[in-house]
Amino acid sequence: KAGVTQTPRYLIKTRGQQVTLSCSPISGHRSVSWYQQTPGQGLQFLFEYFSETQRNKGNFPGRFSGRQFSNSRSEMNVSTLELGDSALYLCASSREGKGNQPQHFGDGTRLSIL
Amino acid sequence: SQELEQSPQSLIVQEGKNLTINCTSSKTLYGLYWYKQKYGEGLIFLMMLQKGGEEKSHEKITAKLDEKKQQSSLHITASQPSHAGIYLCGADNAGGTSYGKLTFGQGTILTVHP
């Protein structure tokens, strides 16, 4: 069974640009969560999608957005990039996003802002 | 203060030694997850604990949940270099309305010297 796949693995952008990251969940998993990991703040929850609907959102500015497609694949978009957006972005999938279902993570996308 | 406190922040042990990592939540715990991460990579799911007093083991790693203290411990017996990495605990603090959100501790960096 294939795991969670994130593309690309590495990305370099400059301030002011925008970026789109992609996540393919484990087959049969309909919930996709996105996290940002930085040395200073650790792992922080961005948002969760289930059946193409955002059900939960963390405390991040509106520059961070996402969407989910009918096949459960998800994309995350960050507009007007800032230096502080440099981070490892991780997505995780679970069957239904319930607290009693483990989330399985991808290897992440390392985003560097110059 | 952090919602989820892990201790210690780092740990250096000699191969063969036992060790314990603790995770304490300031909020009600509905579920507690343990993950392992190699630097710059994704999180590998280790164990999920949901009921007070629950204890689970996987190979030489055992985790326990003390629901009253809102605390979990991860114990590694006879550590090996392959156990080295960052151990993260993640908490479901919302129960039925968690919708894919886990709150994570800052992580414990484990180094095992051969």
Side-chain angles (χ1 to χ4, degrees):
Chain A
K1 199 174 188 182
V4 177
T5 304
Q6 289 189 247
T7 56
R9 284 297 312 276
Y10 303 93
L11 212 44
I12 299 175
K13 292 287 186 180
T14 55
R15 282 182 299 173
Q17 288 187 310
Q18 73 163 16
V19 67
T20 299
L21 313 181
S22 179
C23 174
S24 292
I26 291 172
S27 178
H29 285 192
R30 296 161 62 195
S31 169
V32 174
S33 296
W34 287 89
Y35 294 86
Q36 181 196 65
Q37 187 176 35
T38 60
Q41 298 298 317
L43 254 177
Q44 293 188 293
F45 174 78
L46 281 155
F47 33 65
E48 186 256 10
Y49 284 86
F50 178 81
S51 290
E52 302 178 64
T53 300
Q54 185 184 89
R55 292 193 303 185
N56 205 352
K57 190 176 187 305
N59 192 23
F60 278 82
R63 300 185 297 106
F64 292 82
S65 63
R67 59 177 175 169
Q68 187 180 36
F69 302 94
S70 57
N71 62 357
S72 296
R73 190 177 72 83
S74 177
E75 287 182 349
M76 182 192 129
N77 186 276
V78 188
S79 63
T80 319
L81 286 165
E82 301 177 359
L83 291 176
D85 297 333
S86 294
L88 180 66
Y89 290 88
L90 293 159
C91 85
S93 74
S94 67
R95 289 201 180 280
E96 297 172 330
K98 293 181 179 178
N100 61 353
Q101 297 168 350
Q103 293 183 18
H104 297 275
F105 284 77
D107 283 335
T109 293
R110 169 77 61 186
L111 176 62
S112 299
I113 311 302
L114 303 179
Chain B
S1 64
Q2 294 285 334
E3 292 181 7
L4 206 59
E5 293 272 359
Q6 273 187 248
S7 62
Q9 290 185 345
S10 64
L11 201 47
I12 302 173
V13 300
Q14 206 66 34
E15 183 177 359
K17 295 294 185 184
N18 302 335
L19 62 104
T20 300
I21 299 168
N22 294 302
C23 176
T24 304
S25 177
S26 61
K27 296 184 175 182
T28 303
L29 270 177
Y30 292 91
L32 194 289
Y33 298 78
W34 284 100
Y35 290 88
K36 179 185 174 186
Q37 184 181 30
K38 293 282 190 183
Y39 180 76
E41 297 181 6
L43 278 64
I44 299 167
F45 171 70
L46 295 175
M47 276 170 280
M48 173 179 72
L49 303 165
Q50 290 201 291
K51 299 173 187 174
E54 189 171 20
E55 181 174 322
K56 288 189 176 177
S57 294
H58 175 68
E59 297 178 346
K60 293 186 178 180
I61 301 176
T62 301
K64 299 179 187 179
L65 180 63
D66 185 329
E67 204 170 37
K68 287 181 182 176
K69 292 183 181 177
Q70 296 184 161
Q71 197 173 67
S72 177
S73 60
L74 184 86
H75 184 78
I76 298 177
T77 305
S79 58
Q80 300 168 357
S82 61
H83 287 128
I86 304 168
Y87 288 82
L88 291 139
C89 60
D92 169 16
N93 294 124
T97 58
S98 56
Y99 298 139
K101 177 182 179 180
L102 292 179
T103 300
F104 283 89
Q106 287 293 94
T108 296
I109 303 171
L110 173 62
T111 304
V112 181
H113 286 310

